[in-house]
Amino acid sequence: MVGLSLGEKQFIHGGIAQDLRTDGRKRLHYRPISIETGVIPQANGSARVRLGATDVIVSIKAELGKPSSLQPDKGKVAIFVDCSSTAAPMFELSGKWKMVLGRGGEELSSELSVALQRCLLGGKSGAGAGIDPSSLVIVEGKLCWDLYIDGLVVSSDGNLLDALGAAIKVALSNTGIPKVTVILGPSPNDQPDVDLSDEEFLQFDTTGVPVIVTLTKVGRHYIADATLEEESQMSSAMSVSLNRHGHICGLTKRGGAGLDPSVVLDMISVAQHVGEQLMSMLDSEIAAAEAAAVQEQ
Amino acid sequence: MLQSKSFAKKTKQGRVIKVVREHYLRDDIYCGATFCKVCDTSAARLSASASATILIVDTNVVLNQIDLLENPKIDDVVVLSVVLEEVRHKNLSVYNRVKALCTNPLRKFFVFSNEHHRDTYVKDMIGESPNDRNDRAIRVAARWYQIHLGESTQILLITNDRENKKRATEEGISAETVESYVKSLGKPDLLDLVVLSSSVDVPMEDVEDLRPSKKKIIYSEHKPMSEVTSGLLHGIYHQGKLRVNRYNPFEAYVGSESISEEIVICGRANMNRAFHGDIVAVELLPQDQWRDGKSLIIDDDDDDEEEVHLVPNSADDVPRFENPVQPTSGSSPPVSSHPPGRVVGIIKRNWHSYCGSLDPMPMPAGNAGVAHALFASKDRRIPKIRIQTRQLGNLLDKRIIVAVDSWDCLSRYPSGHYVLLIENDINSRPFSSQVLACLPPLPWSLSLEDLANSNREDLRHLRVFSVDPPGCRDIDDALHCKPLGNGNFEVGVHIADVTNFVLPGTPLDEEASQRGTSVYLVERRIDMLPKSLTEDICSLCSDVERLSFSVIWELTPDANIVSTRYTKSAIKSCAALSYVEAQARMDDSRLMDPLTTDLRNLNSLAKIMRLRRIKRGALTLASPEVKFQIDTETHDPLDIGMYQIREANQMIEEFMLAANISVAEKILKHFSLCSLLRRHPSPTKEMLEPLLRTAAAVGLDLDVSSSKALADSLDRAVGDDPYFNKLIRILATRCMTQAIYFSSGDLSPSEFSHYGLAAPIYTHFTSPIRRYADVIVHRLLAAALGISRLPPIFMDGPQLTSIADNLNYRHRNAQMASRASVELHTVIFFRNRPTDTEARILKIKSNGFIVFVPKFGIEGPVYLVAKDKGSSDWVVDEAHQKVTKAGTKITYGILQTVRIHMEVVEPQPNRPKLQLTLII
Amino acid sequence: MEYVDSLTGFRLDGRRPNDMRQIRGEIGVVAKADGSALFEMGNTKVIAAVYGPREVQNKGQQINNQALVRCEYSMANFSTGDRTRRPKGDRRSTEISLVIRQTMEACILVHLMPRSQIDIFVQVLQADGGTRSACINAATLALADAGIPMRDLVTSCSAGYLSSTPLLDLNYVEDSAGGPDVTVGILAKTDKVTLLQMDSKLPIDIFENVMQLAIEGCKAIAQYIREVLLENTKLLESRKGL
């Protein structure tokens, strides 16, 4: 992957204009998604999502912690993304995208983390978050679960944000947090003690968790689920995070070129449409995985 | 096939981790029945006949009925690995006993790894408690056995758990409770060993005066473990080991890291069923309940403050007095610095089996045979234990062993059951056949192979001889002294080469390691190694060739070491002398034969070495060892006297010390991190307090700044009284710490020193026949010389430390047994011989004083006031260590001579005591 | 703690002392890479991706008569029991990267590809003892998948000595016991040792036994890797229509 020749670039542009992409997809088609849950048994929940050649693994770990004083009735959720070096050489692309894709993947990692946080966790006040942190609290003001969501990009072929978003949703459905019984300390100021139950688990309700749809504008058309080559040709891209009801939970625009506001609205509505399909596909996959897990038991 | 087990764990810092472990299932695990046609029977243990009944025991049966299982009449038992794991977590000592049963080739106990067997693995079900899951695993395994071994064999699940039994029967497995199984065997003495579960109602009228209606909660409930841990974390409760005051069993101390002073626990209620040695959680009592910490009323029977016992005979053997508060003096003490508390929970039980006897009681009228008796342990720190037995008549007058089972808050006393007869945790059982199999066959003699070994020097031409107590048959040391051409002497110390026969890892070695040391009782010896080794093969008897390990010095006539060498050797002793004989030879100026010349040379060298040691500060404390002359027929003591120390004794001692020091230096040089050494910590100021106080009272100024200063002061402490010096030395002895073994990797070199011997480094090398520590040092020395490889156990620091600790423990027990034996014989001796004799006062107390009887070497209390009289007319003057009768001039001071009457009394049957009374 | 149960002879997880954990290898997991593999040893999961031979990125490092082999080892945040943020350049990662590089360099025929660069990236997804060995095994598979010419397959396995018994393939619990840990890497067919590391101390004769045990483990893994590669080749053949 050294770079694209002029001919290749024209081919990509032309194909998109004619609704026939290099791999034969239509503009708004997603590549086949394959999902695996429970790939990391040591974590409380994990999932691996393959979107064509893009491969991401998400693991969710829960640890005991103290809620922040600003929001004593909510637990804490933190999202980190790490671009593994196995996907690294892709980051040494030349051209204007060096800025975006960064050397060593550091910049990309932080950019992805921030984008995900914005889409899934809502604003600073915690309002409107896709994942509800109040379900994580154990003792108000003293004890709560800290959820650490770690994403690992194993192989990158474009559309990382979507893949990560989907993986997080699946991983959350797979997450089991042990139930705790609280033993209060003798004086009210003390940190209460907890007794862990090995048996029972708290499952997350993931129907409210949003998915992320990234639309990439190449030329005058938008495509969903761009591959790396297509991304290198984009003028701008927009990632919309949508929940089941079609509401927007977050929005990110990337890329240097400016967008007309009407174009933005148009992209959003397209994204909603695409998002519904993605959402239902993910839901069915999750259900299938759960059923398989129950059968194994 | 791989299963995955995952569970959530909470770390100490309070974080939660999910732990995932692999769990492999195998198909190569066999059932262990020798008659099974399907399985590989190479490791099978169960009996050969197919019609036998095979028992499968569940966890509670193993935990509670271990004594029953150890009885050889119970056999053909399958112990499942799930049961073993549970037992190991709940009670380590029971686990060790089960392990011993399973490895013993004579018993038919088989361990079946049901957790890893493909067909018997049981996966956790959601909502099932771990206990239920384990019970289910046991049932599945039982069923598998039934199917696997076919119809002819009967598989019996032994469980006392009603639920488990019911489910088992439902699933088609035969199940029985312990009692019904034992009853079916028809052996009544086995029934005694069966521990009855606490749910069975025990009629208490026989023993206590409580009617069931009067049963009230005597002790407060222990707090649940979670509360205890959180309390400890918050500093409300303190954790520590409970130490019961030997002199007042209703007072105990808990030393905890979380609080600087020791917490004192007064009274049974506050002790809340904790035993001496338990790890407990204590709560401090509120301020207003603090009383002064002086030990007060003892509301229970006998137990006077001190018994007649032997004077400790060397710094090495001084028993550590465990309670820091001495129950003395009538002068009002300051408000105690020991905060009082009470026990709220028991973290770890330290229940052993205890030796003692049953309280006398009338035989029960009923013919059911089951009687309830109260057992009183010899160790006064243990409360009385209630037991049930069918053999009351048999046990009443005897010394028995009882194990404790439980103590709930409704009963005043703990309940236990009767076991067997072992004393002082000393293994007096004969050596097992496995151990004896490790010995070379008799008659043994030196072989050509032994001589051909290049590591072994042939020293049979040397004039080697040994000097030992009369009648000694286990001779482990011999010496030789050869004048060299240059005026120097070659002196060699040859020690029996025990490690040539006791190889590491063999059953013989394991057994010796467990025993730790030989125990010397008055008329017999409990050996660490089998007799054939101790008295024949290893013993350096005269006129036979033996293998030895030698330390050979070149010494100048001034006893300075020019060179040292160490080697394995072969010797032939020419004479095995007794101390008396050796002394007589040296003293007889007419004798000029080579042997006597050697003795004299050694003696003069020894004298120089001894003087040098004393100059360096070695302590010579009085050692009035009491010796008995035993009537050979009745085994009663005929006479009792003090052991005489002669020059010959000191000569041998000197060279043994020198050998020990040389070997210590050598092994430390090669193995600085894993040498087994011996140290004697210097006594602290607090320990020397009583000595200084006493000395001051008689106007004596003792300098205790160093061992040398103390030694010099002791030398100067001479009065007109011939015994004065001896008495002061005896008092000094009591203040000393115990010498202990340790691993050199655990301490810094400055802490290696031996205070009493004034040696910077010391170890035990010269008595491998009777001490296991010496066996270890022999192995270290052999490795240092490159003769053999160091056994891997030395690589493991913690293991070596625990070996050292075990040796210290065994050593102490052996001493206690020895003393107990001597005390017993003392009592027997005086039983029919009431005697009047002189005694010296050693310590003043508020109601009397402690005296020392020089003629017999014993000490004991003399009471001025009868016990039940309230306040005394006697006043104690602490500063001058005198006690005076109020209003009179009658006074007794320390070190004063008094006349006493010694007589054996029996206030309780089977508990004879030697009583000393003052003759006014 | 008893690592080998004296009564049954089993280890904590039910293996016998010379049983290896369950191994699984898969090729072609990272589609974008030239060669990639996923290797599991028990609960230890490692992904290796190979990029190359390709043009040297940093011209200064180019070697004129042979290929430049680079290796980078990293552990995911969630790979261990407690989640720690792992800085990429920490000492342990650097050391293991170096070790893997040297081991693989010994077996790649580097003189066949002068002035080029071969990148081996190893990512640990789950660590449960024996990560070093799993990384080397995964790298071997990935290199084979990438079609890079090698002298021989390099396989690696670890062995230890606990409770006076040599144990093959230690897992995390056994590794943390503080006993000696010997990691051996060999060239399977030619029986040559390319990697030998040990920590803690062992007497020499016991060391020989332990090393021998590890070498046998390596041979077993080599056998398995051969099978995986064979399967993969057959699959490729069938896809091609042969």
Side-chain angles (χ1 to χ4, degrees):
Chain A
M1 283 295 123
V2 180
L4 295 173
S5 67
L6 207 51
E8 278 177 307
K9 290 185 194 164
Q10 278 202 330
F11 194 72
I12 293 177
H13 277 271
I16 291 174
Q18 288 175 26
D19 202 16
L20 183 65
R21 292 152 75 173
T22 25
D23 49 9
R25 284 184 288 156
K26 293 239 187 283
R27 280 199 289 264
L28 299 177
H29 267 177
Y30 266 79
R31 286 172 283 184
I33 303 183
S34 84
I35 294 181
E36 256 177 76
T37 55
V39 285
I40 313 276
Q42 271 179 347
N44 292 85
S46 58
R48 180 181 181 191
V49 167
R50 262 176 289 200
L51 205 52
T54 300
D55 197 348
V56 297
I57 296 182
V58 165
S59 105
I60 301 191
K61 279 197 159 182
E63 285 183 9
L64 285 176
K66 209 162 178 252
S68 82
S69 38
L70 295 169
Q71 286 155 11
D73 60 340
K74 291 200 160 66
K76 295 186 288 209
V77 182
I79 304 185
F80 293 103
V81 175
D82 188 23
C83 287
S84 161
S85 21
T86 51
M90 297 302 101
F91 304 145
E92 285 160 351
L93 263 190
S94 58
K96 46 186 169 172
W97 305 122
K98 218 171 188 165
M99 285 257 288
V100 175
L101 300 175
R103 272 196 335 144
E106 287 288 333
E107 285 185 29
L108 182 58
S109 309
S110 35
E111 196 206 314
L112 287 169
S113 314
V114 168
L116 283 170
Q117 274 179 338
R118 200 173 302 142
C119 289
L120 294 172
L121 293 183
K124 279 219 172 72
S125 65
I131 306 167
D132 184 14
S134 6
S135 57
L136 294 173
V137 76
I138 304 173
V139 175
E140 218 175 276
K142 299 226 194 70
L143 212 55
C144 71
W145 287 109
D146 285 341
L147 219 56
Y148 292 102
I149 304 181
D150 287 303
L152 181 71
V153 176
V154 175
S155 162
S156 160
D157 193 24
N159 208 13
L160 291 172
L161 213 50
D162 289 15
L164 282 167
I168 291 179
K169 186 175 162 80
V170 178
L172 279 173
S173 76
N174 179 242
T175 305
I177 300 187
K179 264 219 179 95
V180 288
T181 42
V182 184
I183 304 159
L184 289 168
S187 91
N189 291 335
D190 290 340
Q191 194 72 357
D193 219 359
V194 286
D195 210 8
L196 290 172
S197 149
D198 275 340
E199 301 292 300
E200 286 130 37
F201 290 97
L202 196 57
Q203 297 280 14
F204 268 102
D205 174 23
T206 51
T207 48
V209 179
V211 287
I212 306 179
V213 175
T214 305
L215 286 178
T216 316
K217 187 159 186 290
V218 179
R220 283 182 303 145
H221 303 275
Y222 331 119
I223 49 173
D225 192 17
T227 64
L228 205 57
E229 300 138 352
E230 293 165 344
E231 273 188 358
S232 66
Q233 297 310 302
M234 73 176 185
S235 52
S236 52
M238 192 146 79
S239 305
V240 183
S241 142
L242 298 157
N243 71 5
R244 144 173 318 217
H245 307 289
H247 296 168
I248 300 178
C249 303
L251 209 54
T252 313
K253 181 205 170 287
R254 296 176 307 162
L259 282 178
D260 196 71
S262 61
V263 171
V264 171
L265 289 173
D266 192 33
M267 278 175 106
I268 291 178
S269 65
V270 169
Q272 274 180 325
H273 174 66
V274 174
E276 258 174 51
Q277 290 173 346
L278 182 61
M279 178 80 85
S280 57
M281 183 167 36
L282 278 180
D283 279 339
S284 63
E285 288 279 344
I286 292 175
E290 271 178 11
V294 167
Q295 223 181 21
E296 223 178 90
Q297 278 262 345
Chain B
M1 186 173 323
L2 176 56
Q3 292 282 337
S4 181
K5 287 201 289 203
S6 70
F7 49 94
K9 198 171 77 160
K10 203 162 71 111
T11 61
K12 282 210 181 78
Q13 293 96 350
R15 286 176 40 222
V16 175
I17 333 178
K18 187 172 177 199
V19 176
V20 179
R21 294 276 151 79
E22 303 169 272
H23 189 82
Y24 288 94
L25 299 180
R26 316 186 67 97
D27 51 6
D28 58 355
I29 299 181
Y30 304 118
C31 68
T34 37
F35 54 86
C36 178
K37 302 203 179 36
V38 180
C39 299
D40 176 349
T41 53
S42 54
R45 294 282 293 272
L46 300 173
S47 76
S49 78
S51 56
T53 308
I54 298 188
L55 305 171
I56 300 187
V57 282
D58 94 342
T59 323
N60 288 325
V61 170
V62 175
L63 284 172
N64 296 336
Q65 317 280 1
I66 181 69
D67 296 312
L68 177 66
L69 291 175
E70 279 183 339
N71 190 304
K73 299 199 187 85
I74 303 281
D75 234 345
D76 273 338
V77 177
V78 167
V79 183
L80 301 171
S81 59
V82 62
V83 169
L84 264 182
E85 275 303 304
E86 277 194 298
V87 169
R88 187 160 71 122
H89 285 134
K90 293 207 177 134
N91 189 331
L92 201 56
S93 66
V94 171
Y95 172 72
N96 285 331
R97 287 163 79 175
V98 176
K99 205 167 124 171
L101 279 176
C102 296
T103 45
N104 187 345
L106 299 170
R107 302 294 301 272
K108 303 207 193 92
F109 274 66
F110 181 70
V111 177
F112 181 67
S113 310
N114 71 310
E115 296 276 33
H116 291 294
H117 193 289
R118 197 173 0 156
D119 296 329
T120 57
Y121 173 66
V122 162
K123 208 166 156 123
D124 295 355
M125 288 202 301
I126 306 177
E128 202 182 28
S129 77
N131 268 333
D132 286 339
R133 186 243 162 220
N134 290 341
D135 283 343
R136 192 159 59 94
I138 295 176
R139 288 199 298 273
V140 167
R143 229 181 116 58
W144 182 85
Y145 254 91
Q146 185 74 60
I147 299 175
H148 182 79
L149 287 177
E151 296 307 315
S152 51
T153 340
Q154 199 205 13
I155 309 288
L156 203 54
L157 174 64
I158 307 278
T159 172
N160 276 8
D161 182 320
R162 259 173 267 157
E163 191 56 43
N164 202 4
K165 186 158 172 294
K166 190 174 81 157
R167 292 228 184 113
T169 338
E170 278 168 18
E171 290 173 16
I173 308 167
S174 348
E176 273 190 41
T177 63
V178 181
E179 290 89 7
S180 61
Y181 177 68
V182 173
K183 274 200 186 106
S184 73
L185 286 180
K187 296 193 180 92
D189 48 330
L190 275 188
L191 272 175
D192 247 5
L193 292 176
V194 172
V195 172
L196 291 171
S197 49
S198 49
S199 58
V200 173
D201 258 288
V202 175
M204 301 223 266
E205 291 92 34
D206 294 349
V207 179
E208 294 158 21
D209 211 21
L210 291 173
R211 304 270 141 72
S213 56
K214 270 200 199 166
K215 262 195 243 179
K216 57 187 191 320
I217 303 213
I218 307 182
Y219 301 106
S220 50
E221 288 275 351
H222 288 153
K223 299 250 185 308
M225 207 57 216
S226 47
E227 220 180 293
V228 170
T229 7
S230 81
L232 285 174
L233 215 60
H234 291 111
I236 308 171
Y237 300 147
H238 304 279
Q239 176 175 322
K241 200 174 201 172
L242 189 77
R243 288 189 346 230
V244 176
N245 184 342
R246 204 193 287 263
Y247 306 106
N248 177 2
F250 297 94
E251 184 181 272
Y253 294 89
V254 177
S256 169
E257 284 166 8
S258 47
I259 191 171
S260 53
E261 307 93 17
E262 290 197 321
I263 306 171
V264 64
I265 317 260
C266 296
R268 266 248 165 97
N270 282 337
M271 275 212 271
N272 202 356
R273 298 171 281 152
F275 265 54
H276 171 78
D278 285 347
I279 312 273
V280 294
V282 178
E283 183 186 37
L284 290 178
L285 293 175
Q287 285 271 359
D288 52 359
Q289 286 186 37
W290 286 37
R291 304 179 294 188
D292 46 305
K294 196 174 70 157
S295 55
L296 294 174
I297 318 138
I298 305 162
D299 66 352
D300 214 347
D301 31 33
D302 64 325
D303 304 345
D304 51 64
E305 287 164 33
E306 284 171 17
E307 264 192 6
V308 178
H309 61 259
L310 283 183
V311 176
N313 54 13
S314 74
D316 230 19
D317 296 329
V318 173
R320 280 276 286 298
F321 289 114
E322 294 186 4
N323 59 328
V325 172
Q326 306 285 2
T328 57
S329 78
S331 52
S332 54
V335 171
S336 160
S337 59
H338 296 281
R342 62 154 186 226
V343 173
V344 290
I346 301 191
I347 297 173
K348 190 162 171 218
R349 274 284 186 200
N350 187 30
W351 276 343
H352 292 314
S353 316
Y354 302 104
C355 170
S357 56
L358 294 175
D359 272 358
M361 53 178 281
M363 286 290 293
N367 57 359
V370 178
H372 303 283
L374 261 191
F375 164 85
S377 163
K378 188 141 187 327
D379 186 346
R380 257 180 266 110
R381 295 175 290 190
I382 309 296
K384 299 211 180 157
I385 305 172
R386 196 174 348 106
I387 65 166
Q388 278 187 333
T389 172
R390 274 159 239 271
Q391 314 171 37
L392 189 60
N394 239 357
L395 301 179
L396 261 182
D397 264 347
K398 309 244 180 25
R399 289 265 162 142
I400 59 173
I401 297 279
V402 161
V404 190
D405 295 323
S406 63
W407 196 350
D408 60 62
C409 29
L410 291 176
S411 58
R412 182 145 181 244
Y413 295 115
S415 11
H417 64 276
Y418 148 76
V419 186
L420 260 191
L421 188 67
I422 316 175
E423 300 212 28
N424 264 7
D425 207 1
I426 288 182
N427 194 346
S428 55
R429 286 189 271 239
F431 290 99
S432 71
S433 47
Q434 286 170 307
V435 170
L436 295 174
C438 303
L439 301 176
L442 287 177
W444 179 89
S445 59
L446 215 55
S447 71
L448 286 170
E449 270 167 25
D450 294 320
L451 287 172
N453 189 345
S454 56
N455 290 319
R456 204 173 279 282
E457 247 183 76
D458 187 351
L459 299 176
R460 291 175 295 172
H461 56 279
L462 287 177
R463 197 171 35 247
V464 173
F465 52 88
S466 65
V467 187
D468 289 288
C472 173
R473 284 196 294 267
D474 56 341
I475 304 176
D476 40 21
D477 54 88
L479 301 114
H480 85 269
C481 177
K482 192 168 83 173
L484 296 170
N486 56 2
N488 290 346
F489 291 97
E490 180 189 86
V491 175
V493 168
H494 312 278
I495 308 295
D497 192 4
V498 171
T499 47
N500 189 44
F501 302 99
V502 179
L503 301 169
T506 55
L508 180 59
D509 184 52
E510 300 277 332
E511 183 69 25
S513 164
Q514 286 293 319
R515 293 185 182 212
T517 172
S518 292
V519 182
Y520 286 84
L521 303 177
V522 173
E523 82 284 15
R524 74 178 179 125
R525 187 181 68 220
I526 302 177
D527 288 322
M528 180 181 87
L529 296 168
K531 229 188 190 57
S532 59
L533 273 183
T534 58
E535 292 186 2
D536 190 351
I537 303 177
C538 291
S539 175
L540 306 176
C541 313
S542 60
D543 300 318
V544 280
E545 295 172 345
R546 287 287 181 259
L547 299 174
S548 59
F549 209 156
S550 310
V551 179
I552 302 176
W553 302 282
E554 185 180 325
L555 298 173
T556 67
D558 285 331
N560 286 318
I561 300 181
V562 174
S563 69
T564 319
R565 77 168 206 279
Y566 313 85
T567 176
K568 288 230 174 179
S569 53
I571 59 161
K572 186 171 176 183
S573 169
C574 65
L577 307 167
S578 74
Y579 287 123
V580 176
E581 284 176 321
Q583 190 69 44
R585 275 178 175 247
M586 289 193 284
D587 292 340
D588 189 347
S589 47
R590 292 168 308 176
L591 290 174
M592 293 305 244
D593 60 286
L595 181 60
T596 316
T597 320
D598 284 344
L599 282 167
R600 289 194 189 120
N601 284 336
L602 278 179
N603 198 17
S604 51
L605 286 170
K607 284 207 265 226
I608 301 174
M609 289 160 75
R610 189 182 169 78
L611 217 53
R612 250 213 309 266
R613 258 190 338 114
I614 292 179
K615 264 224 215 39
R616 267 206 318 263
L619 289 172
T620 44
L621 301 169
S623 51
E625 223 176 282
V626 169
K627 197 163 128 48
F628 283 96
Q629 236 182 333
I630 307 285
D631 179 323
T632 41
E633 291 212 346
T634 61
H635 292 280
D636 275 344
L638 284 177
D639 194 7
I640 170 173
M642 301 269 287
Y643 196 65
Q644 284 283 57
I645 305 266
R646 299 177 182 79
E647 264 185 0
N649 300 60
Q650 290 179 335
M651 169 180 85
I652 298 292
E653 186 192 26
E654 211 51 53
F655 282 107
M656 293 303 126
L657 292 179
N660 284 335
I661 293 177
S662 289
V663 170
E665 285 166 0
K666 178 87 177 155
I667 59 174
L668 189 66
K669 197 161 70 164
H670 285 259
F671 301 112
S672 54
L673 288 177
C674 57
S675 295
L676 186 71
L677 303 173
R678 191 163 171 85
R679 66 190 277 255
H680 185 208
S682 339
T684 63
K685 275 251 161 45
E686 286 89 37
M687 290 190 230
L688 292 168
E689 266 287 322
L691 174 64
L692 289 172
R693 218 175 334 133
T694 311
V698 290
L700 189 60
D701 184 22
L702 289 179
D703 182 356
V704 294
S705 55
S706 74
S707 68
K708 176 148 175 57
L710 178 59
D712 289 343
S713 318
L714 285 175
D715 284 339
R716 283 196 302 266
V718 179
D720 349 289
D721 180 355
Y723 274 121
F724 184 70
N725 192 282
K726 206 170 236 160
L727 292 173
I728 293 289
R729 282 182 196 272
I730 291 175
L731 289 172
T733 310
R734 301 161 150 267
C735 307
M736 296 293 143
T737 54
Q738 281 264 41
I740 48 172
Y741 297 108
F742 68 101
S743 160
S744 59
D746 289 340
L747 294 172
S748 62
S750 58
E751 295 170 291
F752 290 177
S753 62
H754 198 291
Y755 179 79
L757 297 174
I761 185 176
Y762 191 66
T763 187
H764 272 170
F765 171 74
T766 52
S767 306
I769 290 185
R770 59 183 176 87
R771 284 192 302 231
Y772 192 71
D774 300 52
V775 171
I776 295 183
V777 174
H778 275 233
R779 290 190 183 136
L780 279 164
L781 187 59
L785 296 173
I787 296 175
S788 63
R789 212 165 32 88
L790 202 59
I793 212 174
F794 290 94
M795 302 293 181
D796 195 333
Q799 250 188 319
L800 200 57
T801 310
S802 73
I803 290 177
D805 289 338
N806 185 45
L807 288 174
N808 290 330
Y809 169 69
R810 300 281 167 201
H811 185 68
R812 270 198 289 279
N813 282 357
Q815 280 184 317
M816 290 203 284
S818 250
R819 303 160 133 278
S821 168
V822 176
E823 280 162 22
L824 177 65
H825 279 79
T826 312
V827 168
I828 296 177
F829 178 77
F830 283 110
R831 196 188 267 263
N832 299 319
R833 296 182 183 84
T835 320
D836 291 350
T837 180
E838 254 194 18
R840 313 297 296 261
I841 299 180
L842 277 187
K843 191 156 108 165
I844 303 286
K845 295 170 64 129
S846 54
N847 53 358
F849 37 78
I850 313 277
V851 297
F852 166 64
V853 186
K855 181 165 175 203
F856 302 110
I858 51 182
E859 66 177 68
V862 172
Y863 291 102
L864 292 169
V865 183
K867 253 190 309 169
D868 33 8
K869 272 220 188 118
S871 62
S872 60
D873 318 321
W874 296 82
V875 178
V876 171
D877 179 352
E878 278 280 355
H880 294 111
Q881 291 286 306
K882 285 196 207 311
V883 60
T884 319
K885 190 160 186 153
T888 64
K889 276 220 179 266
I890 305 179
T891 173
Y892 295 100
I894 202 155
L895 300 184
Q896 187 175 329
T897 315
V898 290
R899 269 194 81 75
I900 57 162
H901 174 78
M902 299 168 57
E903 173 175 351
V904 172
V905 298
E906 258 185 72
Q908 262 192 337
N910 275 327
R911 296 271 208 107
K913 280 194 322 192
L914 186 61
Q915 192 182 68
L916 311 174
T917 40
L918 189 63
I919 304 175
I920 302 181
Chain C
M1 212 196 133
E2 268 181 22
Y3 291 98
V4 178
D5 191 322
S6 45
L7 289 171
T8 55
F10 292 142
R11 287 150 83 169
L12 294 171
D13 53 3
R15 288 186 285 157
R16 290 240 161 80
N18 53 357
D19 279 345
M20 226 168 39
R21 291 177 288 178
Q22 197 175 61
I23 47 179
R24 194 172 82 87
E26 209 183 296
I27 294 191
V29 285
V30 178
K32 273 295 181 187
D34 291 326
S36 61
L38 166 75
F39 198 79
E40 291 180 36
M41 283 171 90
N43 273 344
T44 302
K45 272 201 186 82
V46 166
I47 286 188
V50 167
Y51 292 92
R54 56 198 187 117
E55 194 179 335
V56 180
Q57 305 293 328
N58 187 348
K59 285 288 190 300
Q61 286 179 337
Q62 186 176 294
I63 308 177
N64 284 337
N65 58 349
Q66 64 178 53
L68 173 71
V69 177
R70 283 199 316 153
C71 178
E72 195 177 314
Y73 164 93
S74 69
M75 294 181 83
N77 284 346
F78 45 81
S79 56
T80 53
D82 38 303
R83 181 191 168 279
T84 46
R85 187 109 189 88
R86 291 186 167 274
K88 263 210 166 127
D90 76 315
R91 288 220 294 247
R92 184 170 172 273
S93 302
T94 320
E95 191 242 335
I96 300 185
S97 309
L98 188 68
V99 163
I100 300 178
R101 179 169 74 77
Q102 287 177 335
T103 313
M104 304 324 289
E105 223 174 359
C107 79
I108 300 178
L109 297 167
V110 283
H111 58 276
L112 288 180
M113 299 162 286
R115 287 185 285 274
S116 66
Q117 176 177 311
I118 300 177
D119 288 319
I120 308 175
F121 296 111
V122 183
Q123 173 85 304
V124 175
L125 297 177
Q126 253 196 179
D128 188 27
T131 40
R132 217 169 286 228
S133 306
C135 289
I136 291 179
N137 294 329
T140 300
L141 265 178
L143 283 170
D145 185 38
I148 291 180
M150 291 195 284
R151 277 195 190 89
D152 197 350
L153 293 173
V154 186
T155 51
S156 162
C157 192
S158 69
Y161 187 74
L162 285 173
S163 302
S164 314
T165 336
L167 301 175
L168 182 59
D169 196 11
L170 304 172
N171 61 22
Y172 181 69
V173 177
E174 292 168 339
D175 208 355
S176 339
D181 179 12
V182 177
T183 309
V184 173
I186 60 168
L187 292 174
K189 270 227 177 81
T190 51
D191 248 351
K192 291 206 160 72
V193 174
T194 60
L195 168 68
L196 182 58
Q197 281 189 316
M198 185 178 105
D199 48 17
S200 182
K201 27 179 197 181
L202 267 187
I204 287 202
D205 42 358
I206 298 183
F207 171 72
E208 277 178 37
N209 288 344
V210 173
M211 191 174 93
Q212 205 49 46
L213 190 59
I215 290 180
E216 305 219 343
C218 294
K219 294 217 177 107
I221 296 179
Q223 188 62 29
Y224 176 71
I225 287 183
R226 262 193 217 108
E227 278 169 22
V228 169
L229 288 173
L230 214 57
E231 278 293 317
N232 190 42
T233 314
K234 286 203 182 118
L235 193 64
L236 289 175
E237 276 182 346
S238 72
R239 279 207 194 132
K240 249 188 153 175
L242 290 171

